[in-house]
Amino acid sequence: MCSLQASGGGLVQEGESLRLSCAASGIAFGVRAWYWYRQAPGKQRELVAGITSAASTNYADSVKGRFTISRDNAKNTVYLQMNSLKPEDTGVYFCNAAVVVSASGTMWTYWGKGTQVTVSS
C-alpha cells in the first residue's frame, strides 16, 4: 500500500523561499510521474508542476521561472523549490504520484497529505 506525505510548508514573507518535499512509502515498482497541486480556500485545486520518469517537467504559467520540481528516484521523493514567493501562492500544497502497482505496469494515482504554505505581503 502506497502512502505519501508532503512537508516543508510554513509562513513566509513575500519574496522568500520554501522547499517542499513529498516522500512515498510502500512503493514496490516505482513512481512514473510526480505532480504538485495547490488549493486556496474557496478555489479549485490547480496543477502547479509535474515531472515524469523521463525528467520532462511542466509548470503552471503563474509559477514558471520561480518554482522548480525535481525528484530523487532512489528515495521515491519529489521536491518543489519555491522562490520569490507571492501572496497568491498561498494555499495547501498536495503531492500526487502515478505509481506502478503491478508487474504488468498498471498505475494508480495517490494523493499525499497537504502542507500549508502562507505568504504574507
Side-chain angles (χ1 to χ4, degrees):
M1 181 179 297
C2 178
S3 63
L4 309 178
Q5 179 63 57
S7 62
L11 173 62
V12 298
Q13 291 289 122
E14 183 176 9
E16 295 182 344
S17 299
L18 283 172
R19 179 180 166 93
L20 307 182
S21 64
C22 182
S25 61
I27 300 297
F29 300 100
V31 179
R32 290 287 185 86
W34 289 95
Y35 304 93
W36 284 99
Y37 289 79
R38 68 186 179 191
Q39 187 169 24
K43 302 292 185 179
Q44 292 186 326
R45 187 172 298 182
E46 65 171 334
L47 177 64
V48 176
I51 186 168
T52 70
S53 60
S56 176
T57 59
N58 63 280
Y59 299 92
D61 288 341
S62 61
V63 307
K64 286 181 179 177
R66 299 188 297 118
F67 290 11
T68 302
I69 186 171
S70 61
R71 64 187 295 174
D72 185 331
N73 291 331
K75 297 181 178 180
N76 288 319
T77 300
V78 66
Y79 305 93
L80 184 67
Q81 178 67 44
M82 306 185 294
N83 298 326
S84 301
L85 283 163
K86 305 174 180 180
E88 50 263 46
D89 294 319
T90 294
V92 178
Y93 283 69
F94 301 88
C95 63
N96 174 277
V99 179
V100 179
V101 298
S102 73
S104 63
T106 300
M107 291 188 293
W108 286 8
T109 58
Y110 294 86
W111 288 95
K113 181 178 181 296
T115 184
Q116 177 72 44
V117 172
T118 303
V119 185
S120 62
S121 61

